Amino acid sequence: MKVQSTTTQQDDHFLISNYDYKSTNIEKNGDKYIAKPQITNFKFKTDTRIPKVGVMLVGWGGNNGTTLTGGILANKFNITWNSRRGTHQPNFYGSLTQSSVIKIGTCNTEEVFVPFKDVLPMVNPCDIVFGGWDISSLNLADAMSRAQVVEYDLQQKLRPYLEKLDFIAANQGDRADNVIPGNNKLEHLNIIRKNIADFKQQNNLDKVILLWTANTERFCVEDPNIHGTAEKLLKSIESSHPEISASTIFACAACLEGCSFINGSPQNTIVPGVIELAEKAGVFVAGDDFKTGQTKFKTCLVEYLVGAGIKPKAIISYNHLGNNDGKNLSQESCFKSKERSKKTCVDDILESNKVLYPTEEELNIDHTIVIKYCPETGDSKKAMDEYIAEIFLGGRQTFAVYNVCEDSLLAAPLIMDLLLLCELFERIQFSKDSSEYQRFDTVLSWLSYLMKAPKSESGITTINSLSRQRAMLENLVKVCAGLTIDDNLRLEVRYGASRFQQ
Amino acid sequence: MKVQSTTTQQDDHFLISNYDYKSTNIEKNGDKYIAKPQITNFKFKTDTRIPKVGVMLVGWGGNNGTTLTGGILANKFNITWNSRRGTHQPNFYGSLTQSSVIKIGTCNTEEVFVPFKDVLPMVNPCDIVFGGWDISSLNLADAMSRAQVVEYDLQQKLRPYLEKLDFIAANQGDRADNVIPGNNKLEHLNIIRKNIADFKQQNNLDKVILLWTANTERFCVEDPNIHGTAEKLLKSIESSHPEISASTIFACAACLEGCSFINGSPQNTIVPGVIELAEKAGVFVAGDDFKTGQTKFKTCLVEYLVGAGIKPKAIISYNHLGNNDGKNLSQESCFKSKERSKKTCVDDILESNKVLYPTEEELNIDHTIVIKYCPETGDSKKAMDEYIAEIFLGGRQTFAVYNVCEDSLLAAPLIMDLLLLCELFERIQFSKDSSEYQRFDTVLSWLSYLMKAPKSESGITTINSLSRQRAMLENLVKVCAGLTIDDNLRLEVRYGASRFQQ
Amino acid sequence: MKVQSTTTQQDDHFLISNYDYKSTNIEKNGDKYIAKPQITNFKFKTDTRIPKVGVMLVGWGGNNGTTLTGGILANKFNITWNSRRGTHQPNFYGSLTQSSVIKIGTCNTEEVFVPFKDVLPMVNPCDIVFGGWDISSLNLADAMSRAQVVEYDLQQKLRPYLEKLDFIAANQGDRADNVIPGNNKLEHLNIIRKNIADFKQQNNLDKVILLWTANTERFCVEDPNIHGTAEKLLKSIESSHPEISASTIFACAACLEGCSFINGSPQNTIVPGVIELAEKAGVFVAGDDFKTGQTKFKTCLVEYLVGAGIKPKAIISYNHLGNNDGKNLSQESCFKSKERSKKTCVDDILESNKVLYPTEEELNIDHTIVIKYCPETGDSKKAMDEYIAEIFLGGRQTFAVYNVCEDSLLAAPLIMDLLLLCELFERIQFSKDSSEYQRFDTVLSWLSYLMKAPKSESGITTINSLSRQRAMLENLVKVCAGLTIDDNLRLEVRYGASRFQQ
Amino acid sequence: MKVQSTTTQQDDHFLISNYDYKSTNIEKNGDKYIAKPQITNFKFKTDTRIPKVGVMLVGWGGNNGTTLTGGILANKFNITWNSRRGTHQPNFYGSLTQSSVIKIGTCNTEEVFVPFKDVLPMVNPCDIVFGGWDISSLNLADAMSRAQVVEYDLQQKLRPYLEKLDFIAANQGDRADNVIPGNNKLEHLNIIRKNIADFKQQNNLDKVILLWTANTERFCVEDPNIHGTAEKLLKSIESSHPEISASTIFACAACLEGCSFINGSPQNTIVPGVIELAEKAGVFVAGDDFKTGQTKFKTCLVEYLVGAGIKPKAIISYNHLGNNDGKNLSQESCFKSKERSKKTCVDDILESNKVLYPTEEELNIDHTIVIKYCPETGDSKKAMDEYIAEIFLGGRQTFAVYNVCEDSLLAAPLIMDLLLLCELFERIQFSKDSSEYQRFDTVLSWLSYLMKAPKSESGITTINSLSRQRAMLENLVKVCAGLTIDDNLRLEVRYGASRFQQ
């Protein structure tokens, strides 16, 4: 099922869509805002040829990596499995691109929705070639058993497929028995570059994307002299500077090999030097930290409350989990990285509403983040939150939420979405007011819906509210496909001919 | 602070805005959807003269009525009060129009938000003249004490203002000691009409709006011969037909006196005959059932899940409350009305996603509504919900939510919003493709954001997802004010001159 | 490990213990209570020979029956199994007799605890021979799969053992395809009696106990003329009276075959006529309704609160579950049986405290029970409770509890306890003040710890508080074993020689 | 209403009760435990003359101190007050002594319960004279307003009584503007001693008790050379040693003035030197940390689970509160004190059950304590807990508990109980096997029911399970009053004459 718009141009290679973008310039004049609507013409050109894509995961043998790989294999080979609840079919639930839908228009008075993936030509996740690194030398089947995420019967059925898959050695500490052999950071960089090049060649791939799904690292201490430019960064790697984190070396290697890089953990991997390297290579970088459970809920609930004129006063977010991520976060330095990405996520929503938050002091609500390691819960992530909001006449509305999810079962399809969308956006160019076509910004902030602390290019404020993030992504895809944006007025239904014909 | 667009036309009386409405017609062709974008021109003409408005509440002496009246008085006279937590200022928290904001555009790269109420000229809630009926003969001060909603100290301070306000008698059962004296339904209708006319005249009002905030009634058994047309309905009232509910008589009286009518309870007050009466009178009807707490949350959470490709499988919604509404709902027949309005609210969200719900059977998820009367909790409404959703590879994500709110403190500002928006929409007309100006549909479905079971004109499907409902309302107001719709692409920030100038 | 007291007498067959029972007679005199302590001598004689025991379950193929049978087999043959969480060992967690401990005394200053089962000679659960009836004709292996309780891998490993086990037909409705062939209730009675006799003989058993773990039935309408005596009851069975429930027929058959009968569902199976039959046969009857999760918690929490001088004001208990029990309880008539057993469980605790509850009106707290059928949750039982208690100066303490358990995994070990303790008490006799030895009362209220609505002999009030129920059982076993009751004063530790020697 | 036993001896001054205490010595012999029951005679002599008692609170102006003082005044002068919920009467809800009951015996077959306070002659809380210290110089009325605990209307009504009450200066940091003027720790000690002596004399009191309800201090680093003996301790005070905490100085002053001392915070105030001082002075010390909410619940729930053979595997206890205690605990060093007292509270319960916890490793369950400061919640304390327990066949039972209480409204009556019981125990002596009468141990572990980390004399293990702690206290009082201990067998009801006479 494919969508085709009558207003786009399509040749063998490209789909071109024309979009009159409307915005409003605001000027303040005394107690009046003067609003000046503007129209700017944009053209979007999408390369419709679907390439052969390889993905290399840093931390492939972790819970996310094994769940993603196993889950895609289950779908590819249509493997069913049993649990005490009966027989299960594979699916892509939890994936924005594969399992959510987009309204594309109206047929008579009925709204028509299609899967997100059908609006523009996208890679089929079952066609991705996976590879990657891990600090543990287990094969992928054993790594999946250790992860304790996937049902036992499915583990057994996937074992023959997974046993064949070996990790490349990686260079982290902890449960590491499979570290990269190099003696210094430069050697590491070069080994990783060679790994990428070999992987691409051996699998005959059109492109490769790297994604960090390994442990949260501590924040490195950013310094313009160390991380500020591509040149300085490479020099710092040469000198094995201690404030160059492992993830940054992977990011550099990706850029130098012409691969986009996505950071799924909260630490500050994507320093300015990395962005410059990506810029030069014409690839994307995106981050930070997958937005799966508690934070996703938070940016949804707080948006609803503030949008209703209700004033959040306190947000207390407790978490505990028992997987390796939980263990890692029990270290204060790593927790600090996570706390930052989880805590800033409502700031822009609160700041937008000056009726509820007229002062800086009001904005400084009680917002507490706690993450605890609890081995008993395994990969299950338990979030216990309290939201306290002020309502009319000093009253309170309180939400106490107990949210249980499987951490990796939420993260795996989201990783897939990041990869597929990143790949798609590599095939899109735009022209503003008939100027030359260019690619999107190097820092791919379009993916913010999937990120706890979405990284933007400098000068672009971050949007955290969930429905706005989703609208941004949905509308971009629709615009490229030549579909109209939905303003929800539904005037063609309310006052169109078709309604009265029925 | 007012907003003024450079693309609108404004004279002494009217603000005229021009809108090229874009929609997409979809045709299905084999495995392709052919999307045909359309543009239709609409002009919106808003009368900018703010009238003197009276509001008559049916059930004025209930928790909602007393809280709304007292709360507006506290704001009007800037009355502060003490609780053990300190000194409190009056406000309009929880009101969409007074306390939420709308993005109107961008100033350099910064988004600019203004209060909803400042986009178009709206009535100041402090200027509304209140009146109404109640089945109890308490004065409003005593009714507020009985309600146990407002802090004791504020009750004391409001007493001098409220003691002067007397109810008109009403015709319900239960704690009724103040029933309308008439002998039959026709006499009741006429008495109510006279009440309205007297109220309007005595207070020298430009217009009056009626709103039902009395008890939930049982569903009347709808019958085309009884309720199907204006004529049949009036005949049925004449004959005191038992399936003519009290609320329907109030609705008829409103229409016959040229007043819009809003139904805040779940029962089927607005039968076809009422709509015809309203149509003839050129007034609006809107309903049903205020969307305050649990259902608002539900239409937000389910939209988030389905939008993320996650599949809700069970929704169990328990409620208990101790106010008169709770007592009334403990009667099975009234509960049935409520259950219906609470239960259908996710259907359209699920139906839109055929990936998650390919069959009718899948759509039939476990969805249970329970409401219990618990006097101990007073006006506090406790909702205990479980949401179970299927995620990747047969996993589950579970939300157990315990939500405590003050029922009437959420409802009161929402009632205010309904009244203010209904009044505003009475001042808006539109012209399609340069045809004659007309008013909006008689059934005012624009207000769906505020309604648990939003009533639409026939042929228009209902939208329940919270962010779409809010967008509909926000965008309508923006369009009328000549502001551009936000597609969230933020291209003027991403690729505009101002970003690079900074 | 066995316990042996130096003050008991033990011969080949019997263990005899001497107990000076202390009680206090209270007389009221003006504003004084006159307390007259009393001592009465009791002798307890326990037959220490462990018999070969058979158990027949009504509803053997249900979730409880299959879980219990499978779980005991896993223990008997030491079967391990895998889930995604790793490899599991069988155990008897959740069993009072097998997994809880009793303090038997002090060794130096250290308290010494032994497993409950080691205080008196008890049957090993692995030695029980199981049989029973079911309305479905599945074999036990398929029934266990349908139940969806036990992990899939364990199901597979138990299959060879369970496939051999066939049900006897039973006479209920619903998913019945295996009903007892008889034409009337008398014929049913006789068939059941023959089933019991055959089972006992074929398995060469010393004794058989019957236990009802089938669906909750509606309350039968009790009538002295129908159920009041053994004779009337048997006549009513002869005439196939409609108010003779299926469970009552099983109970009669048990008594007539000399077997004790335990009712695990809430309905009024054990009518006076059944008690008379049991009395004559010298067997026990016990009931009603297993106390597993929510109610157990409730009788624990309310006891704690009232014991601390805190006043429960409202208890709202919501439940939903997806197994066959849940489905059955969604019928109003069956729910009524359940509601009664769940709702009375705190009455005696509240009534005991006249400071908190001086009047009947105060005692009438808000106490609501809701049970809903939610197929999605399967055998998982979700309880969502709110407890609201009044504390000092009008304050409130609120507990919102979300309790998830596997219904049958809690019930199965509890069923085992009921059977083992019932069997044990059949071997105990007592003599008061040197009178002739007699057995315990026919209605075995000692088992109240395990019962939601514990049935007592007439004239004996029911104790529902959990710690008192447990103390009753623990102390009875200790007294029979010649151990001293623990008053928790620990004077031998505080002021004994051993403490000062250390 | 008073209780009088026929087996006690009563003269003008003393009530003497005779108790044959039964215990069991255990010896292990191969796989057998040999249990040797013992009887030891104890006599308890209670001075029945009720003294005039003064209480001095350290931290009188805090939330607990003001709530307790105000609450007792409300009871004493029968002050009623209004909130939005209506008119309130004063009471002593939440007090073990004033609002809980004890079973004293049986009248016919009915159990007879009387208030705890009526079993032995106890001080009426309304007769206590209050005094104390605070680091803030507010008067008590203003301190109560700052506390934000008591309803505003009651605050207003108590103001005239409280304004007259002034604090003595104290010597802590933080919001201190009222510190003791002395230059060194010895001077402080002497000033406090003089404060006590003056207070006793000015109010003409028979005795004074001191209680610490000020902030949690950090643990001092205990050292035998500093705190090990009375002599060393006094020397360390003389030298103003930094590891002598403020609370320890108050404890010393109390002992030296012949007053018992109770520590309501978790830190290690009661060092060995303090105990020696108390021993010499013949007064009691008791501690540590009031057991009000989460921990009380925990020691109740865990006891129930382990007692049912269910195995707790993880306990995650989150707390947040907004009062000064919460602020203070946000300091890591003070939190450490609290964490210790909250975390050890289940250890003895788990250790007792070797079936569930056969090894040290098994005992090491996940047990996490988090306390966060959240100003928005004020004195409301929110506890969010998860308990995960293993049940049959590897299943799990999970409790997610959200508990809201008013911290000080739970603590105030508990403080009152501590004072009243401490005072009572000062009037009780016992004689073992007719030896000379002696008072109870200096460390008053009888009060453990009220303490989070109950302190015991060396050589006496601590009991944390709630029902055992309560039984200990209840039984002690009953034994002193000549009432029999309840073994819950109810044999006099089951097999007594009265049942059959009815």
Side-chain angles (χ1 to χ4, degrees), chain A residues 340-351:
Chain A
R340 200 181 309 195
S341 85
K342 286 179 85 85
K343 209 165 170 177
T344 56
C345 68
V346 298
D347 292 353
D348 59 315
I349 305 174
L350 306 187
E351 281 161 16

Side-chain angles (χ1 to χ4, degrees), chain D residues 69-103:
Chain D
T69 310
I72 286 181
L73 286 169
N75 276 279
K76 182 171 188 167
F77 297 108
N78 198 24
I79 298 167
T80 62
W81 67 97
N82 294 299
S83 77
R84 63 179 180 128
R85 296 295 302 269
T87 301
H88 300 263
Q89 307 292 331
N91 58 41
F92 284 120
Y93 289 177
S95 162
L96 178 79
T97 59
Q98 309 301 305
S99 297
S100 87
V101 295
I102 289 182
K103 175 179 166 185

Side-chain angles (χ1 to χ4, degrees), chain D residues 26 43 47 58 205 271 280 286 293 316 328 362 413 432 447:
Chain D
I26 301 295
K43 284 196 183 58
D47 189 333
V58 193
L205 301 168
V271 292
K280 284 179 179 166
I316 316 291
N328 184 53
E362 296 271 355
K432 181 185 166 191
L447 301 179

Side-chain angles (χ1 to χ4, degrees), chain A residues 313-314 316 318-320 366 368-377 382 384-386 388-389 396 398-402 404, chain D residues 313-314 316 318-320 366 368-377 382 384-386 388-389 396 398-402 404:
Chain A
K313 299 268 285 183
I316 316 291
Y318 300 121
N319 296 267
H320 49 280
D366 295 341
T368 297
I369 309 287
V370 171
I371 302 176
K372 289 289 167 185
Y373 177 50
C374 172
E376 159 65 21
T377 55
K382 315 285 184 89
M384 302 182 86
D385 295 56
E386 192 186 36
I388 308 175
R396 290 291 183 276
T398 303
F399 296 86
V401 183
Y402 172 72
V404 183
Chain D
K313 298 267 285 182
I316 316 291
Y318 300 121
N319 297 267
H320 50 277
D366 294 342
T368 298
I369 309 287
V370 171
I371 303 176
K372 290 288 167 186
Y373 177 51
C374 172
E376 158 65 20
T377 55
K382 315 284 185 92
M384 302 181 87
D385 295 57
E386 192 185 37
I388 308 175
R396 291 291 183 274
T398 304
F399 296 85
V401 184
Y402 172 71
V404 183

Side-chain angles (χ1 to χ4, degrees), chain B residues 212-233:
Chain B
W212 176 275
T213 180
N215 278 344
T216 296
E217 301 171 319
R218 68 167 175 82
F219 259 63
C220 70
V221 181
E222 267 193 65
D223 179 339
N225 288 322
I226 305 167
H227 314 90
T229 66
E231 194 187 337
K232 283 174 180 162
L233 183 61

Side-chain angles (χ1 to χ4, degrees), chain A residues 367-485:
Chain A
H367 191 177
T368 297
I369 309 287
V370 171
I371 302 176
K372 289 289 167 185
Y373 177 50
C374 172
E376 159 65 21
T377 55
D379 192 68
S380 285
K381 193 166 183 180
K382 315 285 184 89
M384 302 182 86
D385 295 56
E386 192 186 36
Y387 294 85
I388 308 175
E390 186 173 347
I391 55 175
F392 198 36
L393 299 180
R396 290 291 183 276
Q397 181 170 26
T398 303
F399 296 86
V401 183
Y402 172 72
N403 173 4
V404 183
C405 65
E406 297 299 310
D407 204 21
S408 306
L409 294 181
L410 283 182
L414 194 147
I415 291 172
M416 203 174 74
D417 288 336
L418 283 166
L419 295 166
L420 296 177
L421 290 167
C422 177
E423 191 287 316
L424 170 63
F425 294 154
E426 288 183 346
R427 287 186 279 121
I428 298 180
Q429 287 184 294
F430 70 91
S431 150
K432 181 185 166 192
D433 291 331
S434 301
S435 65
E436 217 175 316
Y437 278 102
Q438 51 175 304
R439 63 185 197 99
F440 291 136
D441 280 354
T442 297
V443 181
L444 204 55
S445 64
W446 297 113
L447 301 179
S448 61
Y449 174 74
L450 303 157
M451 289 298 186
K452 221 171 259 155
K455 209 169 170 57
S456 302
E457 286 280 2
S458 72
I460 303 180
T461 52
T462 298
I463 301 297
N464 281 293
S465 57
L466 196 73
S467 77
R468 293 190 65 191
Q469 291 176 329
R470 199 182 180 291
M472 183 200 316
L473 208 45
E474 177 175 320
N475 287 342
L476 177 60
V477 171
K478 287 177 72 171
V479 161
C480 292
L483 299 168
T484 47
I485 299 302

